[in-house]
Coordinates of all heavy atoms in Angstrom, one line a residue:
M1 N 34.0 -21.5 44.4 CA 35.5 -21.5 44.5 C 36.0 -20.0 44.4 O 35.5 -19.3 43.6 CB 36.1 -22.3 43.4 CG 35.8 -23.8 43.6 SD 36.6 -24.7 42.2 CE 38.1 -25.2 43.1
S2 N 37.0 -19.8 45.1 CA 37.6 -18.4 45.0 C 38.8 -18.5 44.0 O 39.4 -19.5 43.8 CB 38.1 -17.9 46.3 OG 39.1 -18.8 46.8
R3 N 39.0 -17.4 43.4 CA 40.1 -17.3 42.4 C 41.4 -17.2 43.1 O 41.6 -16.5 44.1 CB 39.9 -16.1 41.5 CG 40.9 -15.9 40.4 CD 40.6 -14.7 39.6 NE 39.3 -14.7 39.1 CZ 39.0 -15.0 37.8 NH1 40.0 -15.3 37.0 NH2 37.8 -15.0 37.3
I4 N 42.4 -17.9 42.6 CA 43.8 -17.8 43.1 C 44.4 -16.5 42.8 O 44.4 -16.1 41.6 CB 44.6 -19.0 42.6 CG1 44.0 -20.3 43.1 CG2 46.1 -18.8 43.1 CD1 44.7 -21.5 42.5
K5 N 44.9 -15.8 43.7 CA 45.5 -14.5 43.5 C 46.9 -14.7 42.9 O 47.7 -15.4 43.5 CB 45.6 -13.7 44.8 CG 46.2 -12.3 44.6 CD 46.2 -11.5 45.8 CE 46.8 -10.1 45.6 NZ 46.8 -9.3 46.8
N6 N 47.2 -14.1 41.8 CA 48.5 -14.2 41.1 C 49.5 -13.3 41.8 O 49.2 -12.1 42.0 CB 48.4 -13.9 39.6 CG 47.5 -14.9 38.9 OD1 47.5 -16.0 39.3 ND2 46.9 -14.4 37.9
A7 N 50.6 -13.8 42.1 CA 51.7 -13.0 42.7 C 52.4 -12.3 41.6 O 52.5 -12.8 40.4 CB 52.7 -13.9 43.4
L8 N 52.8 -11.1 41.9 CA 53.5 -10.3 40.9 C 55.0 -10.8 40.8 O 55.5 -11.3 41.7 CB 53.6 -8.8 41.3 CG 52.2 -8.1 41.4 CD1 52.3 -6.7 42.0 CD2 51.5 -8.1 40.0
P9 N 55.6 -10.7 39.6 CA 57.0 -11.2 39.4 C 57.9 -10.3 40.3 O 57.6 -9.2 40.7 CB 57.2 -11.0 38.0 CG 56.2 -10.1 37.4 CD 55.0 -10.1 38.4
P10 N 59.1 -10.9 40.6 CA 60.0 -10.1 41.4 C 60.5 -8.8 40.7 O 60.6 -8.8 39.5 CB 61.2 -11.1 41.5 CG 60.7 -12.4 41.2 CD 59.5 -12.2 40.3
R11 N 60.6 -7.8 41.5 CA 61.0 -6.5 41.0 C 62.3 -6.5 40.2 O 62.4 -5.9 39.2 CB 61.2 -5.5 42.2 CG 61.5 -4.1 41.7 CD 61.8 -3.1 42.8 NE 61.0 -3.3 44.0 CZ 61.1 -2.6 45.1 NH1 62.0 -1.7 45.2 NH2 60.3 -2.8 46.1
E12 N 63.3 -7.3 40.7 CA 64.6 -7.4 40.0 C 64.4 -8.0 38.6 O 65.1 -7.5 37.6 CB 65.5 -8.4 40.8 CG 65.9 -7.9 42.1 CD 64.8 -8.2 43.2 OE1 64.0 -9.1 43.0 OE2 64.7 -7.4 44.2
E13 N 63.5 -8.9 38.4 CA 63.2 -9.5 37.1 C 62.6 -8.4 36.1 O 62.9 -8.3 35.0 CB 62.3 -10.7 37.1 CG 62.9 -11.8 37.9 CD 63.9 -12.5 37.0 OE1 63.9 -12.6 35.8 OE2 64.9 -13.0 37.7
L14 N 61.7 -7.6 36.7 CA 61.1 -6.5 35.9 C 62.1 -5.4 35.5 O 62.1 -4.9 34.4 CB 59.9 -5.9 36.7 CG 58.8 -6.8 37.0 CD1 57.8 -6.1 37.8 CD2 58.1 -7.2 35.7
E15 N 63.0 -5.1 36.5 CA 64.0 -4.0 36.2 C 65.0 -4.5 35.2 O 65.5 -3.6 34.5 CB 64.7 -3.7 37.5 CG 63.7 -2.9 38.5 CD 64.4 -2.6 39.8 OE1 65.4 -3.1 40.1 OE2 63.8 -1.8 40.5
R16 N 65.2 -5.7 35.0 CA 66.1 -6.2 33.9 C 65.6 -5.9 32.6 O 66.3 -5.9 31.6 CB 66.4 -7.7 34.1 CG 67.4 -8.0 35.2 CD 67.8 -9.5 35.1 NE 68.2 -9.9 36.4 CZ 67.9 -11.0 37.0 NH1 67.2 -11.9 36.4 NH2 68.3 -11.3 38.2
L17 N 64.3 -5.8 32.4 CA 63.6 -5.5 31.1 C 63.7 -4.1 30.8 O 63.3 -3.7 29.6 CB 62.2 -6.1 31.2 CG 62.0 -7.6 31.4 CD1 60.6 -7.9 31.5 CD2 62.7 -8.3 30.2
I18 N 64.0 -3.2 31.7 CA 64.1 -1.8 31.4 C 65.4 -1.5 30.7 O 66.5 -1.8 31.2 CB 64.0 -0.9 32.7 CG1 62.6 -1.3 33.4 CG2 64.1 0.6 32.4 CD1 62.5 -0.7 34.8
D19 N 65.4 -0.8 29.5 CA 66.6 -0.5 28.8 C 67.3 0.7 29.4 O 66.9 1.3 30.4 CB 66.3 -0.3 27.3 CG 65.5 0.9 27.0 OD1 65.3 1.8 27.8 OD2 65.1 1.0 25.8
A20 N 68.5 1.0 28.8 CA 69.3 2.1 29.3 C 68.7 3.5 29.3 O 69.0 4.3 30.1 CB 70.6 2.1 28.5
Q21 N 67.7 3.7 28.4 CA 67.0 5.0 28.4 C 65.8 5.0 29.4 O 65.1 6.0 29.5 CB 66.5 5.3 27.0 CG 67.6 5.6 26.0 CD 68.2 4.3 25.4 OE1 67.6 3.2 25.4 NE2 69.5 4.4 25.1
G22 N 65.6 3.9 30.0 CA 64.4 3.8 31.0 C 63.1 3.4 30.4 O 62.1 3.5 31.0
H23 N 63.2 2.8 29.2 CA 62.0 2.3 28.5 C 61.7 0.9 28.8 O 62.6 0.1 28.8 CB 62.1 2.5 27.0 CG 62.1 4.0 26.6 ND1 63.1 4.5 25.8 CD2 61.3 5.0 26.9 CE1 62.9 5.7 25.6 NE2 61.8 6.1 26.2
L24 N 60.4 0.6 29.0 CA 60.0 -0.8 29.2 C 58.9 -1.1 28.2 O 57.9 -0.3 28.1 CB 59.4 -0.9 30.7 CG 58.7 -2.2 31.1 CD1 59.8 -3.3 31.1 CD2 58.1 -2.1 32.4
T25 N 59.1 -2.1 27.4 CA 58.2 -2.5 26.4 C 57.2 -3.5 26.9 O 57.6 -4.5 27.5 CB 58.9 -3.1 25.2 OG1 59.9 -2.2 24.7 CG2 57.9 -3.4 24.0
I26 N 55.9 -3.2 26.8 CA 54.9 -4.1 27.3 C 53.9 -4.5 26.2 O 53.7 -3.7 25.2 CB 54.1 -3.5 28.5 CG1 53.4 -2.3 28.1 CG2 55.1 -3.2 29.6 CD1 52.4 -1.8 29.2
R27 N 53.2 -5.6 26.4 CA 52.0 -5.9 25.6 C 50.8 -6.0 26.6 O 50.8 -6.8 27.5 CB 52.2 -7.2 24.9 CG 51.0 -7.7 24.2 CD 51.3 -8.6 23.0 NE 50.2 -8.3 22.1 CZ 50.4 -8.3 20.8 NH1 51.5 -8.7 20.3 NH2 49.4 -8.1 20.0
A28 N 49.9 -5.1 26.4 CA 48.7 -5.0 27.3 C 47.6 -5.9 26.7 O 47.3 -6.0 25.5 CB 48.3 -3.6 27.4
T29 N 46.9 -6.5 27.7 CA 45.7 -7.3 27.4 C 44.6 -6.8 28.2 O 44.5 -7.1 29.4 CB 45.9 -8.8 27.6 OG1 47.0 -9.2 26.8 CG2 44.7 -9.6 27.2
P30 N 43.7 -5.9 27.7 CA 42.6 -5.4 28.5 C 41.5 -6.5 28.5 O 41.5 -7.4 27.7 CB 42.1 -4.2 27.7 CG 42.5 -4.4 26.3 CD 43.8 -5.3 26.4
N31 N 40.5 -6.3 29.4 CA 39.4 -7.2 29.5 C 39.8 -8.6 29.9 O 39.1 -9.6 29.5 CB 38.6 -7.2 28.2 CG 37.2 -6.6 28.4 OD1 36.8 -6.2 29.5 ND2 36.5 -6.5 27.3
A32 N 40.8 -8.8 30.6 CA 41.3 -10.1 30.9 C 40.5 -10.7 32.1 O 39.8 -10.0 32.8 CB 42.8 -10.1 31.3
G33 N 40.7 -11.9 32.4 CA 40.0 -12.6 33.5 C 40.6 -12.1 34.9 O 39.9 -12.2 35.9
A34 N 41.8 -11.7 34.9 CA 42.5 -11.2 36.2 C 43.6 -10.3 35.9 O 44.1 -10.3 34.8 CB 43.0 -12.4 37.0
N35 N 43.9 -9.5 36.8 CA 45.1 -8.6 36.7 C 46.4 -9.4 36.9 O 46.4 -10.2 37.9 CB 45.1 -7.5 37.7 CG 44.0 -6.5 37.5 OD1 43.6 -6.2 36.3 ND2 43.4 -5.9 38.5
D36 N 47.3 -9.3 36.0 CA 48.5 -10.2 36.0 C 49.6 -9.6 35.2 O 49.4 -8.9 34.3 CB 48.1 -11.6 35.4 CG 49.1 -12.6 35.6 OD1 49.9 -12.5 36.5 OD2 49.1 -13.6 34.8
I37 N 50.8 -9.9 35.6 CA 52.0 -9.5 34.9 C 52.8 -10.8 34.6 O 53.1 -11.5 35.6 CB 52.9 -8.5 35.6 CG1 52.1 -7.2 35.8 CG2 54.2 -8.3 34.9 CD1 52.9 -6.1 36.6
R38 N 53.1 -11.0 33.4 CA 53.9 -12.2 33.0 C 55.2 -11.9 32.4 O 55.2 -11.0 31.4 CB 53.1 -13.1 32.1 CG 51.8 -13.6 32.7 CD 51.0 -14.5 31.8 NE 49.8 -14.9 32.4 CZ 48.8 -15.5 31.8 NH1 48.9 -15.8 30.5 NH2 47.7 -15.8 32.4
L39 N 56.3 -12.5 32.8 CA 57.6 -12.2 32.3 C 57.7 -13.0 30.9 O 57.0 -14.0 30.7 CB 58.7 -12.8 33.2 CG 58.8 -12.0 34.5 CD1 59.7 -12.8 35.5 CD2 59.3 -10.6 34.4
P40 N 58.5 -12.4 30.0 CA 58.7 -13.1 28.7 C 59.4 -14.5 28.9 O 60.2 -14.7 29.9 CB 59.6 -12.2 27.9 CG 60.2 -11.3 28.9 CD 59.3 -11.2 30.1
A41 N 59.2 -15.4 28.1 CA 59.8 -16.7 28.1 C 61.3 -16.6 27.8 O 61.7 -15.6 27.1 CB 59.1 -17.7 27.2
D42 N 62.1 -17.6 28.2 CA 63.5 -17.6 27.9 C 63.7 -17.6 26.4 O 63.0 -18.4 25.7 CB 64.2 -18.8 28.5 CG 64.2 -18.7 30.0 OD1 64.2 -17.6 30.5 OD2 64.4 -19.7 30.7
G43 N 64.5 -16.7 25.9 CA 64.8 -16.6 24.4 C 63.8 -15.8 23.7 O 64.0 -15.5 22.5
A44 N 62.7 -15.4 24.3 CA 61.7 -14.5 23.6 C 62.1 -13.1 23.7 O 62.9 -12.7 24.6 CB 60.3 -14.7 24.3
P45 N 61.5 -12.2 22.9 CA 61.8 -10.8 23.0 C 61.5 -10.3 24.4 O 60.6 -10.8 25.0 CB 60.9 -10.1 21.9 CG 60.6 -11.2 21.0 CD 60.7 -12.5 21.8
A46 N 62.2 -9.2 24.8 CA 62.0 -8.7 26.2 C 60.7 -7.8 26.2 O 60.8 -6.6 26.4 CB 63.2 -7.9 26.6
V47 N 59.6 -8.4 26.1 CA 58.3 -7.7 26.1 C 57.5 -8.3 27.3 O 57.2 -9.5 27.3 CB 57.5 -7.9 24.8 CG1 56.2 -7.2 24.9 CG2 58.3 -7.3 23.6
L48 N 57.1 -7.4 28.2 CA 56.4 -7.8 29.4 C 54.9 -7.9 29.0 O 54.3 -7.0 28.4 CB 56.6 -6.8 30.5 CG 56.2 -7.1 31.9 CD1 57.0 -8.2 32.4 CD2 56.4 -5.8 32.7
N49 N 54.2 -9.0 29.4 CA 52.8 -9.1 29.2 C 52.0 -8.7 30.4 O 52.2 -9.3 31.5 CB 52.5 -10.6 28.9 CG 51.1 -10.8 28.4 OD1 50.2 -9.9 28.5 ND2 50.8 -12.0 27.9
V50 N 51.2 -7.6 30.3 CA 50.4 -7.1 31.4 C 49.0 -7.3 31.1 O 48.5 -6.8 30.0 CB 50.8 -5.6 31.6 CG1 50.0 -5.1 32.8 CG2 52.2 -5.4 31.9
R51 N 48.3 -8.0 31.9 CA 46.8 -8.2 31.7 C 46.0 -7.5 32.8 O 46.4 -7.4 33.9 CB 46.5 -9.7 31.8 CG 47.3 -10.5 30.8 CD 47.3 -12.0 31.1 NE 46.1 -12.6 31.5 CZ 45.2 -13.1 30.7 NH1 45.4 -13.1 29.4 NH2 44.1 -13.6 31.2
T52 N 44.9 -6.8 32.4 CA 44.1 -6.1 33.3 C 42.6 -6.4 33.0 O 42.2 -6.7 31.9 CB 44.3 -4.6 33.2 OG1 43.5 -3.9 34.2 CG2 44.0 -4.0 31.8
T53 N 41.8 -6.4 34.0 CA 40.4 -6.6 33.9 C 39.6 -5.4 33.4 O 38.4 -5.6 33.0 CB 39.8 -7.1 35.3 OG1 40.0 -6.0 36.2 CG2 40.4 -8.3 35.7
V54 N 40.2 -4.3 33.3 CA 39.5 -3.1 32.9 C 39.3 -3.0 31.4 O 40.2 -3.5 30.6 CB 40.4 -1.8 33.4 CG1 39.7 -0.5 32.9 CG2 40.5 -1.9 34.8
T55 N 38.2 -2.5 30.9 CA 37.9 -2.4 29.5 C 38.7 -1.2 28.9 O 38.9 -0.2 29.6 CB 36.4 -2.2 29.2 OG1 35.9 -1.1 29.9 CG2 35.7 -3.4 29.7
P56 N 39.0 -1.2 27.7 CA 39.8 -0.1 27.1 C 38.9 1.0 26.6 O 38.7 1.3 25.4 CB 40.5 -0.8 25.9 CG 39.5 -1.9 25.5 CD 38.9 -2.4 26.8
E57 N 38.4 1.8 27.6 CA 37.5 2.9 27.3 C 38.1 4.2 27.9 O 38.5 4.2 29.1 CB 36.1 2.7 27.9 CG 35.3 1.6 27.4 CD 34.0 1.4 28.2 OE1 33.9 1.9 29.3 OE2 33.2 0.7 27.7
D58 N 38.3 5.2 27.1 CA 38.8 6.5 27.5 C 40.1 6.4 28.3 O 40.4 7.1 29.3 CB 37.8 7.2 28.4 CG 36.5 7.4 27.7 OD1 36.5 7.7 26.5 OD2 35.4 7.3 28.3
G59 N 41.0 5.5 28.0 CA 42.3 5.4 28.6 C 42.3 4.7 30.0 O 43.3 4.6 30.7
K60 N 41.1 4.1 30.4 CA 41.1 3.5 31.7 C 42.0 2.2 31.8 O 42.6 2.0 32.8 CB 39.6 3.1 32.0 CG 38.7 4.3 32.2 CD 37.3 3.8 32.4 CE 36.3 5.0 32.5 NZ 34.9 4.6 32.6
A61 N 42.0 1.5 30.7 CA 42.9 0.3 30.7 C 44.4 0.7 30.8 O 45.2 0.1 31.5 CB 42.7 -0.6 29.5
N62 N 44.8 1.8 30.1 CA 46.1 2.3 30.3 C 46.5 2.7 31.7 O 47.5 2.4 32.2 CB 46.4 3.5 29.3 CG 46.4 3.1 27.9 OD1 46.7 1.9 27.5 ND2 46.2 4.0 27.0
D63 N 45.5 3.4 32.3 CA 45.7 3.7 33.7 C 45.9 2.5 34.6 O 46.7 2.5 35.5 CB 44.6 4.6 34.2 CG 44.6 6.0 33.6 OD1 45.6 6.4 33.1 OD2 43.5 6.6 33.5
A64 N 45.1 1.5 34.4 CA 45.1 0.3 35.2 C 46.4 -0.5 35.0 O 47.0 -1.0 35.9 CB 43.9 -0.6 34.9
V65 N 46.9 -0.5 33.7 CA 48.2 -1.1 33.4 C 49.3 -0.4 34.1 O 50.2 -1.0 34.7 CB 48.4 -1.2 31.9 CG1 49.9 -1.5 31.5 CG2 47.5 -2.2 31.2
L66 N 49.3 0.9 34.1 CA 50.4 1.7 34.7 C 50.4 1.5 36.2 O 51.4 1.5 36.9 CB 50.3 3.1 34.3 CG 50.6 3.4 32.8 CD1 50.5 4.9 32.5 CD2 52.0 3.0 32.5
A67 N 49.2 1.5 36.8 CA 49.0 1.3 38.2 C 49.6 -0.1 38.7 O 50.2 -0.2 39.7 CB 47.6 1.5 38.7
L68 N 49.3 -1.1 37.9 CA 49.7 -2.4 38.2 C 51.3 -2.5 38.0 O 51.9 -3.1 38.9 CB 49.1 -3.5 37.2 CG 49.3 -4.9 37.5 CD1 48.8 -5.3 38.9 CD2 48.6 -5.8 36.5
L69 N 51.8 -1.9 37.0 CA 53.3 -1.8 36.8 C 53.9 -1.1 38.0 O 55.0 -1.5 38.5 CB 53.6 -1.1 35.5 CG 53.7 -2.0 34.3 CD1 53.9 -1.1 33.1 CD2 54.7 -3.0 34.4
A70 N 53.3 0.0 38.4 CA 53.9 0.8 39.6 C 53.9 -0.1 40.8 O 54.9 -0.1 41.6 CB 53.1 2.0 39.8
K71 N 52.9 -0.8 41.0 CA 52.8 -1.7 42.2 C 53.9 -2.8 42.1 O 54.6 -3.1 43.1 CB 51.5 -2.4 42.3 CG 51.3 -3.3 43.5 CD 49.9 -3.8 43.5 CE 49.7 -4.8 44.7 NZ 48.3 -5.4 44.7
A72 N 54.1 -3.4 40.9 CA 55.1 -4.4 40.8 C 56.5 -3.9 40.9 O 57.4 -4.6 41.4 CB 54.9 -5.1 39.4
L73 N 56.7 -2.7 40.4 CA 58.1 -2.1 40.5 C 58.4 -1.4 41.8 O 59.5 -1.0 42.1 CB 58.2 -1.1 39.3 CG 58.4 -1.6 37.9 CD1 58.3 -0.5 36.9 CD2 59.7 -2.4 37.8
G74 N 57.3 -1.2 42.6 CA 57.5 -0.6 43.9 C 57.8 0.9 43.8 O 58.6 1.4 44.6
C75 N 57.2 1.5 42.8 CA 57.5 3.0 42.6 C 56.1 3.7 42.5 O 55.1 3.0 42.3 CB 58.3 3.2 41.4 SG 57.5 2.8 39.8
P76 N 56.1 5.0 42.7 CA 54.8 5.7 42.6 C 54.3 5.7 41.1 O 55.1 5.6 40.2 CB 55.1 7.1 43.1 CG 56.6 7.3 42.9 CD 57.2 5.9 43.1
R77 N 53.0 5.8 41.0 CA 52.4 5.8 39.6 C 53.0 7.0 38.8 O 53.1 6.9 37.6 CB 50.9 5.9 39.8 CG 50.1 6.3 38.6 CD 50.2 5.4 37.4 NE 49.5 5.9 36.3 CZ 49.9 6.7 35.4 NH1 51.1 7.2 35.5 NH2 49.2 7.1 34.4
S78 N 53.3 8.1 39.5 CA 53.8 9.3 38.8 C 55.2 9.0 38.2 O 55.7 9.8 37.3 CB 53.8 10.4 39.7 OG 54.7 10.2 40.8
A79 N 55.9 8.0 38.5 CA 57.2 7.6 38.0 C 57.1 6.9 36.6 O 58.1 6.7 36.0 CB 58.0 6.8 38.9
L80 N 55.9 6.6 36.2 CA 55.7 5.9 34.9 C 54.9 6.8 33.9 O 53.9 7.5 34.3 CB 54.9 4.7 35.1 CG 55.4 3.6 36.1 CD1 54.4 2.5 36.3 CD2 56.8 3.1 35.6
T81 N 55.4 6.9 32.7 CA 54.8 7.7 31.7 C 54.6 6.8 30.4 O 55.6 6.2 30.0 CB 55.7 8.9 31.3 OG1 56.0 9.6 32.5 CG2 55.0 9.8 30.3
L82 N 53.5 6.8 29.8 CA 53.2 6.1 28.6 C 53.8 6.9 27.4 O 53.3 8.0 27.2 CB 51.7 5.9 28.4 CG 51.3 5.0 27.2 CD1 51.9 3.6 27.4 CD2 49.8 5.0 27.2
V83 N 54.8 6.4 26.8 CA 55.5 7.1 25.8 C 54.9 6.8 24.4 O 54.7 7.7 23.6 CB 57.0 6.7 25.7 CG1 57.7 7.4 24.6 CG2 57.7 7.1 27.0
R84 N 54.6 5.6 24.2 CA 54.0 5.2 22.8 C 53.0 4.1 23.0 O 53.2 3.2 23.9 CB 55.2 4.7 22.0 CG 54.9 4.4 20.6 CD 56.1 4.1 19.7 NE 57.0 3.1 20.2 CZ 58.2 3.3 20.4 NH1 58.8 4.5 20.1 NH2 59.0 2.4 20.9
G85 N 52.0 4.1 22.2 CA 51.0 3.0 22.1 C 49.7 3.3 23.0 O 49.2 2.3 23.5
A86 N 49.3 4.5 23.0 CA 48.1 4.8 23.9 C 46.9 4.0 23.4 O 46.0 3.6 24.2 CB 47.8 6.3 23.8
T87 N 46.8 3.8 22.1 CA 45.6 3.0 21.6 C 45.9 1.7 21.1 O 45.1 1.0 20.5 CB 44.9 3.8 20.5 OG1 45.8 4.1 19.4 CG2 44.3 5.2 21.0
A88 N 47.2 1.2 21.2 CA 47.6 -0.1 20.7 C 47.9 -1.0 21.9 O 48.0 -0.6 23.0 CB 48.9 0.1 19.9
R89 N 48.0 -2.3 21.6 CA 48.3 -3.3 22.6 C 49.8 -3.3 23.0 O 50.1 -3.5 24.1 CB 47.9 -4.7 22.2 CG 46.4 -4.9 22.1 CD 46.0 -6.3 21.8 NE 46.5 -7.1 22.9 CZ 46.6 -8.5 22.8 NH1 46.4 -9.0 21.6 NH2 47.1 -9.2 23.8
D90 N 50.6 -3.0 22.0 CA 52.1 -2.9 22.3 C 52.4 -1.4 22.7 O 52.0 -0.5 22.0 CB 52.9 -3.2 21.0 CG 52.7 -4.7 20.7 OD1 52.6 -5.5 21.6 OD2 52.6 -5.0 19.5
K91 N 53.0 -1.3 23.9 CA 53.2 0.0 24.5 C 54.6 0.1 25.0 O 55.3 -0.8 25.2 CB 52.3 0.2 25.7 CG 50.8 0.1 25.3 CD 49.9 0.2 26.5 CE 48.5 -0.1 26.2 NZ 47.9 0.8 25.2
V92 N 55.1 1.4 25.1 CA 56.4 1.7 25.6 C 56.2 2.6 26.8 O 55.5 3.7 26.6 CB 57.4 2.3 24.6 CG1 58.7 2.7 25.3 CG2 57.6 1.4 23.4
V93 N 56.7 2.3 28.0 CA 56.5 3.0 29.2 C 57.9 3.5 29.6 O 58.9 2.8 29.7 CB 55.9 2.2 30.3 CG1 55.8 2.9 31.6 CG2 54.5 1.7 29.9
L94 N 58.0 4.8 30.0 CA 59.2 5.4 30.5 C 59.1 5.3 32.0 O 58.2 5.7 32.6 CB 59.3 6.9 30.1 CG 60.5 7.6 30.7 CD1 61.8 7.0 30.2 CD2 60.4 9.1 30.3
V95 N 60.2 4.7 32.6 CA 60.3 4.5 34.0 C 61.3 5.5 34.5 O 62.5 5.4 34.2 CB 60.7 3.1 34.4 CG1 60.8 2.9 35.9 CG2 59.7 2.1 33.8
T96 N 60.8 6.5 35.3 CA 61.7 7.5 35.9 C 62.2 7.0 37.3 O 61.3 6.6 38.1 CB 61.0 8.8 36.0 OG1 60.4 9.1 34.8 CG2 61.9 9.9 36.4
R97 N 63.4 7.1 37.5 CA 63.9 6.6 38.8 C 64.4 7.8 39.7 O 64.8 8.7 39.3 CB 65.1 5.6 38.6 CG 64.6 4.4 37.9 CD 65.7 3.5 37.6 NE 65.2 2.5 36.7 CZ 65.6 1.3 36.6 NH1 66.6 0.9 37.3 NH2 65.2 0.5 35.7

């Protein structure tokens, strides 16, 4: 059986989670079964759940998370900067427009 490819959430939904300073709060899950972005549930804190299949070695998972976010937001990878949480699961990303 082939794995069902997960669709990325709509760009508009992701952009609503970016605050006035351009920060996006995410919770990264490395070593996941598939690359995926999940929106927060209604009433939950505005934290985006980003899952990647890459292992957290030498910043590779961070690069994979940022690349997946760039694809979902429709912007170049260079428009995203990891501001906080390089070695933590909870991260803050600056989105430059």
Side-chain angles (χ1 to χ4, degrees):
M1 291 180 100
S2 63
R3 182 180 303 256
I4 297 172
K5 184 176 178 181
N6 294 329
L8 297 175
R11 182 186 323 177
E12 298 79 26
E13 294 289 326
L14 295 174
E15 289 177 348
R16 283 191 206 139
L17 298 174
I18 300 171
D19 67 12
Q21 292 80 29
H23 293 128
L24 177 63
T25 304
I26 64 169
R27 173 153 213 149
T29 304
N31 247 359
N35 292 327
D36 188 22
I37 296 179
R38 297 181 183 171
L39 295 170
D42 291 337
V47 177
L48 193 63
N49 188 349
V50 182
R51 301 165 45 90
T52 182
T53 59
V54 179
T55 59
E57 298 175 342
D58 302 322
K60 292 177 187 175
N62 288 336
D63 292 337
V65 164
L66 293 177
L68 188 59
L69 273 175
K71 181 178 178 182
L73 288 169
C75 66
R77 163 61 184 88
S78 60
L80 303 176
T81 306
L82 185 61
V83 176
R84 186 171 51 234
T87 59
R89 288 188 63 199
D90 295 323
K91 303 176 186 301
V92 176
V93 176
L94 176 65
V95 180
T96 309
R97 297 175 193 209

